Amino acid sequence: MIFVFWALDPIYLINLFIQGLGYHFQWLIQLSFDTQCFEQAGFYDETESTEEQVTWMQNYTIFYWAWWIAWAPFVGTFIAQISKGRTIREFVIGNMIVPTLIVFLWVAIFGGVGLYNELGSIQNGIECGDHPEATLSSIPADWYSEFDGNKILKLSCLENGSDIYFGALTTLPLTMIMSILSMVGIIVYFVTSSDSASHVVDILTAGGIDEPPKLQRIFWALTEGAVASMLLAASNGDDDSLTALQAATLVAALPFTLVLIFECMATYKTLLIHTGELKPEEQVYW
């Protein structure tokens, strides 16, 4: 992330970060309640909105809302275990504020690089043309151009997110090294995520003990890997094959929404007990 920041245009990325942060807080409340209800119902003016906007709302807003709610028991259990012994201030700073700021920086830098490539290509009048067999390993030369002294690529000509990411790296110095480091980072991310998930599932299935059996943990890790592999094999490059899984995630997340509300209330009451404002022996009905 630091390399990409200095490799493109630091002033542009700093300006983008500040502006994007301002837009985020400016539109946070409105976008939090925006469900595009009329577009989803089919009432939209094709001159103002398109069917793709409905797809975006379903796949990248509602689905991710449900995704994280469904993940809440696993993530919450893992974070609670690794945060044992820390104060609430340390927990909030270390597990909520710092990771959020890092995500802000990551999205601003890598998203900024992508926008720089795409907008610069549009400014230069670059067209995708007829290249049906173009892949990441054989990007047509006419998709590349130069803007303000920087090499750029029309990323929208590439078909999927992974190609777009690695395509953007081809416009930066040390492309091969950065691609290898990216692959290593992706592998480490998946391995650590699988290990954490397996650990939490192991704790839940072992009755909540802190140190569950290692053999059982290995079993859950292999099971998760097998399920993920089958889903990837079943998709065969077709995103529609995972629609049923996404729908199941939405359905499973709805009950957890109520659970999370009660957990917030329970946390608040626990804090009142620790501060002495609420007596544990007193019966409270909320």
Side-chain angles (χ1 to χ4, degrees):
M1 183 171 66
I2 297 175
F3 170 80
V4 174
F5 173 77
W6 289 106
L8 183 62
D9 186 347
I11 301 301
Y12 155 73
L13 292 174
I14 290 174
N15 288 332
L16 179 63
F17 174 76
I18 296 173
Q19 180 173 312
L21 196 63
Y23 278 139
H24 176 78
F25 288 111
Q26 178 182 353
W27 295 95
L28 179 62
I29 296 179
Q30 179 176 336
L31 292 178
S32 297
F33 291 91
D34 184 13
T35 61
Q36 293 188 346
C37 60
F38 298 111
E39 286 82 359
Q40 291 196 63
F43 303 109
Y44 58 85
D45 186 351
E46 293 184 357
T47 61
E48 298 180 357
S49 57
T50 62
E51 188 176 351
E52 282 73 17
Q53 288 180 284
V54 179
T55 305
W56 172 269
M57 174 61 66
Q58 293 173 347
N59 292 343
Y60 292 97
T61 302
I62 298 176
F63 173 68
Y64 274 102
W65 159 81
W67 176 269
W68 281 111
I69 290 179
W71 265 84
F74 299 94
V75 177
T77 302
F78 178 75
I79 292 179
Q81 189 175 46
I82 64 175
S83 301
K84 186 177 181 180
R86 294 182 173 86
T87 64
I88 295 178
R89 181 185 293 107
E90 292 173 340
F91 174 83
V92 171
I93 294 175
N95 289 287
M96 299 177 67
I97 296 179
V98 172
T100 301
L101 290 177
I102 292 176
V103 170
F104 282 171
L105 289 171
W106 177 274
V107 172
I109 292 174
F110 283 88
V113 170
L115 288 172
Y116 190 94
N117 277 268
E118 187 65 21
L119 295 177
S121 298
I122 295 174
Q123 189 83 4
N124 292 340
I126 303 298
E127 300 290 342
C128 294
D130 186 17
H131 298 284
E133 298 181 358
T135 61
L136 181 62
S137 58
S138 59
I139 298 177
D142 56 356
W143 288 358
Y144 287 98
S145 61
E146 187 174 298
F147 185 82
D148 197 21
N150 296 305
K151 180 182 178 182
I152 58 175
L153 168 65
K154 189 169 178 60
L155 299 175
S156 59
C157 296
L158 299 171
E159 292 188 357
N160 55 64
S162 60
D163 285 350
I164 290 174
Y165 172 78
F166 287 102
L169 293 181
T170 63
T171 65
L172 302 174
L174 306 176
T175 298
M176 183 58 66
I177 295 177
M178 293 307 300
S179 298
I180 294 174
L181 290 177
S182 296
M183 289 300 301
V184 172
I186 293 172
I187 292 173
V188 170
Y189 165 75
F190 277 110
V191 170
T192 54
S193 298
S194 177
D195 180 66
S196 302
S198 303
H199 179 63
V200 171
V201 174
D202 196 13
I203 291 176
L204 296 176
T205 54
I209 60 177
D210 292 336
E211 294 297 333
K214 293 290 176 56
L215 186 61
Q216 183 173 290
R217 183 173 177 178
I218 294 174
F219 165 77
W220 285 115
L222 294 175
T223 303
E224 292 166 3
V227 172
S229 299
M230 286 188 293
L231 289 174
L232 289 174
S235 65
N236 196 25
D238 184 8
D239 294 335
D240 293 338
S241 62
L242 297 180
T243 302
L245 176 63
Q246 293 179 344
T249 304
L250 291 171
V251 173
L254 186 59
F256 279 115
T257 305
L258 299 177
V259 173
L260 290 178
I261 293 175
F262 285 113
E263 286 184 351
C264 292
M265 296 171 60
T267 301
Y268 176 68
K269 290 180 64 176
T270 302
L271 295 177
L272 291 180
I273 293 174
H274 280 281
T275 57
E277 299 181 36
L278 182 65
K279 303 299 181 183
E281 61 274 7
E282 295 179 358
Q283 196 170 16
V284 181
Y285 292 97
W286 62 270

